[in-house]
Amino acid sequence: MNVTIANEGGKVISAVTGRVDTTNAADFQEQMKPLMSLQNPDIEMDCSGLEYTSSQGLRIFLMLQKAVSANGGKLVLLNMQPQVKEVFDITGFSNIISIL
Amino acid sequence: MFENVEQYGLDLHCTMILEEYRESVPVFEKIKEIALNAINRAISENGIYITALESRIKAEQSLVGKLELKGVKYMSLSDITDILGMRVITFYTDEVDKIAAMADRLFDIDWANSVDKRKMHELNSFGYNSLHYICRIPKSMYFDPQMPQINEFRFELQMRTALQHVWANIHHDTGYKSGVEIPYDYLRNLSRLAGMLELADEQFSQIRTGINDYRRQVQQLVSSSKFEEVPLDGDTFGSYLKIKPFDKLNRRIAAINQAEVHHASCVHYISVLKALGFKTLGDVEKLIHDYSDDAYKLATYELGNTDIDIISETVAIQDLLIVYILENGGGEHGLIYMFNTLNGPSDYNTIRARRLVDTASQLPFMNR
């Protein structure tokens, strides 16, 4: 699992690749922390390289969504692979997190 | 900072009042602070919504103007009741009365000099509508032996609605009191507008009262389970969700993988329900009653082969509507419409709808 974060023209452009599962969920959460503390962030996270997310990964995406909303910002997950999107769909999280 | 008092050319009596004013500004600042805190706290505790709470200490130039015009009327500074002026602007007329009752509890009111301008108009006249209380800080609220004037000086508290405030400001802007004669037609139009705004204020209050009555009735009907009598709209659906109608199905679905249920609002599903022709909460109850088993089967098929142990509270209504659309012939297009409505248009919605149509074709409820 790998995470990148960059600032581009007022937006925060992030990308996550690989698998998020129980073995690396804590690491994923740690890498999301800088995004959770931003004020009014406009975050686009490219998920085209995300191959799998476990329940732990879902929880971290939820935490990120909550923190971003609480800080007056916006989070959009982009280019999700179908098998990952399906996890968000069948759990109802597609209704909570913006996925384009 | 100050001009020389003598240079205003006031008489000795007025000059002494002006000097007293200069010495007393810190007292008025303190009164302002105490009164603002008390009003803010009371408004918050009583759950009253206001548009603004304003305050000002009369500027020296303004006081000079007042003394020039009617200085002889005042024995001392304490006779002038608007050195400190405060104003509460409310949304609704009845809230002006609530603020007044609150002020009555908080402050010592000088009733002899307080005035309700709303009641001063003749039957056929319309104009300035505002409630003015002349107040003092009671010793029970604040007392400082070093500054006893805090409980002696009076201040003016104006209470009015936002519409009354707009009218008063525009009326003031005409310079009506400046001595310049305003043509009859303009004054008449201002008066007509005052009448119109009075009616509008009354209508706003009646609309709010009506909405509150409607909400109370809906809550009673929901709590007595008379769902078929309750029309489906944003308000009624919100009340309905408070009794957690989808909890039972969510718990069944969660039990598939011993999952935790993450709290989430289902209120945005109202648009899908309306689009599908649901007219009352009774229709939603029927959806739950008739389609829960099939929604559970769909969830079991989707979640059963995974180790996902967290679901959103929206899963139950989502799966209920998916099976409702599919069993009633809505097919792929119906599902795409639902996902577009909920999540905004996206290519994913088509992929998801196709996947669900394939999934459902393997489930018994689509082959009955």
Side-chain angles (χ1 to χ4, degrees):
Chain A
M1 183 270 305
N2 188 43
V3 173
T4 59
I5 299 172
N7 281 300
E8 284 180 26
K11 283 194 174 189
V12 179
I13 307 295
S14 177
V16 54
T17 58
R19 295 169 59 86
V20 178
D21 54 30
T22 44
T23 63
N24 60 13
D27 184 28
F28 181 52
Q29 185 175 340
E30 197 59 33
Q31 296 198 55
M32 289 295 102
K33 273 186 180 166
L35 299 180
M36 294 184 198
S37 57
L38 294 173
Q39 288 304 309
N40 310 309
D42 185 356
I43 304 172
E44 287 185 356
M45 184 176 289
D46 180 22
C47 296
S48 59
L50 179 64
E51 295 158 11
Y52 169 82
T53 179
S54 67
S55 302
Q56 286 299 94
L58 279 179
R59 286 186 175 88
I60 295 161
F61 279 113
L62 266 180
M63 282 169 62
L64 177 62
Q65 167 66 42
K66 275 187 181 175
V68 168
S69 290
N71 291 335
K74 200 173 74 176
L75 169 70
V76 182
L77 306 183
L78 299 169
N79 309 318
M80 211 174 257
Q81 293 183 28
Q83 76 277 10
V84 178
K85 175 68 167 46
E86 192 176 339
V87 173
F88 281 79
D89 291 340
I90 63 178
T91 52
F93 287 121
S94 303
N95 293 164
I96 301 172
I97 300 172
S98 178
I99 303 169
L100 293 176
Chain B
M1 165 179 165
F2 289 120
E3 302 285 337
N4 190 318
V5 173
E6 283 75 25
Q7 84 163 47
Y8 288 120
L10 295 169
D11 62 28
L12 180 63
H13 172 69
C14 291
T15 300
M16 285 170 66
I17 291 178
L18 191 58
E19 280 174 346
E20 193 185 354
Y21 161 84
R22 286 184 175 183
E23 287 164 11
S24 304
V25 166
V27 180
F28 283 106
E29 290 285 3
K30 189 68 190 170
I31 296 173
K32 185 172 104 171
E33 179 196 324
I34 296 163
L36 278 177
N37 282 340
I39 293 170
N40 270 322
R41 199 179 317 115
I43 283 172
S44 166
E45 284 171 2
N46 289 288
I48 301 171
Y49 291 102
I50 61 166
T51 62
L53 170 56
E54 302 172 342
S55 63
R56 66 99 183 93
I57 292 172
K58 190 182 272 296
E60 182 168 305
Q61 282 292 343
S62 171
L63 177 61
V64 169
K66 190 171 188 132
L67 291 171
E68 280 171 347
L69 282 174
K70 43 189 175 182
V72 69
K73 213 175 116 182
Y74 307 114
M75 296 290 290
S76 69
L77 185 70
S78 62
D79 288 337
I80 305 175
T81 55
D82 67 345
I83 298 290
L84 170 59
M86 309 186 77
R87 185 179 293 138
V88 183
I89 302 164
T90 69
F91 285 103
Y92 299 101
T93 47
D94 53 346
E95 280 171 345
V96 169
D97 294 319
K98 282 186 197 168
I99 297 288
M102 185 195 79
D104 190 8
R105 284 195 301 276
L106 289 174
F107 307 119
D108 289 338
I109 311 294
D110 172 1
W111 294 112
N113 290 294
S114 297
V115 58
D116 189 349
K117 306 228 175 193
R118 301 171 300 177
K119 293 176 180 164
M120 293 177 72
H121 296 292
E122 297 294 330
L123 275 178
N124 55 355
S125 80
F126 301 93
Y128 185 65
N129 272 334
S130 191
L131 178 58
H132 294 192
Y133 275 8
I134 306 300
C135 313
R136 277 194 190 89
I137 301 290
K139 287 183 180 169
S140 56
M141 178 183 284
Y142 188 94
F143 180 67
D144 178 358
Q146 305 298 316
M147 215 184 257
Q149 306 98 311
I150 284 174
N151 310 105
E152 290 161 11
F153 284 139
R154 290 171 291 177
F155 61 95
E156 183 176 280
L157 177 64
Q158 296 184 357
M159 296 155 275
R160 56 169 79 146
T161 67
L163 290 183
Q164 289 164 358
H165 184 60
V166 168
W167 188 91
N169 275 353
I170 290 172
H171 184 257
H172 181 78
D173 192 47
T174 61
Y176 179 60
K177 286 183 177 175
S178 65
V180 179
E181 194 169 332
I182 309 291
Y184 169 86
D185 281 353
Y186 294 124
L187 290 179
R188 175 164 164 72
N189 282 343
L190 266 176
S191 182
R192 288 165 65 206
L193 273 174
M196 195 189 82
L197 293 178
E198 199 176 311
L199 276 173
D201 254 342
E202 195 177 285
Q203 280 295 307
F204 280 133
S205 284
Q206 283 177 7
I207 288 167
R208 188 189 57 163
T209 304
I211 290 170
N212 287 341
D213 286 348
Y214 174 70
R215 283 181 175 150
R216 271 192 289 275
Q217 283 170 16
V218 165
Q219 279 163 6
Q220 279 169 7
L221 287 169
V222 169
S223 59
S224 60
S225 301
K226 291 179 180 166
F227 300 117
E228 64 286 353
E229 293 177 27
V230 184
L232 180 65
D233 59 37
D235 259 351
T236 59
F237 192 54
S239 296
Y240 179 63
L241 288 175
K242 286 181 188 156
I243 63 166
K244 304 234 169 236
F246 303 107
D247 242 23
K248 189 176 167 191
L249 179 56
N250 271 324
R251 278 191 270 111
R252 276 181 82 188
I253 293 172
I256 297 167
N257 286 346
Q258 288 78 53
E260 73 170 279
V261 181
H262 175 80
H263 171 70
S265 170
C266 298
V267 78
H268 54 298
Y269 274 88
I270 179 75
S271 49
V272 179
L273 291 165
K274 296 284 278 184
L276 290 172
F278 288 70
K279 291 194 164 47
T280 67
L281 292 182
D283 295 339
V284 184
E285 277 289 298
K286 194 167 180 328
L287 170 78
I288 296 170
H289 180 267
D290 294 351
Y291 293 88
S292 277
D293 284 344
D294 294 343
Y296 174 71
K297 282 173 192 144
L298 172 67
T300 306
Y301 187 88
E302 290 190 306
L303 290 164
N305 291 326
T306 73
D307 58 357
I308 294 168
D309 62 1
I310 181 169
I311 60 168
S312 152
E313 232 174 41
T314 58
V315 158
I317 186 169
Q318 167 186 276
D319 288 355
L320 280 166
L321 288 170
I322 288 169
V323 295
Y324 176 85
I325 288 168
L326 290 174
E327 290 187 38
N328 287 282
E332 187 180 311
H333 289 296
L335 292 177
I336 291 171
Y337 178 82
M338 168 177 157
F339 299 141
N340 281 348
T341 305
L342 288 171
N343 308 324
S346 139
D347 291 342
Y348 279 128
N349 295 337
T350 308
I351 297 167
R352 188 180 178 194
R354 281 185 189 148
R355 181 180 60 74
L356 278 164
V357 170
D358 283 348
T359 300
S361 68
Q362 297 168 54
L363 295 171
F365 64 78
M366 286 304 285
N367 297 299
R368 277 199 287 262

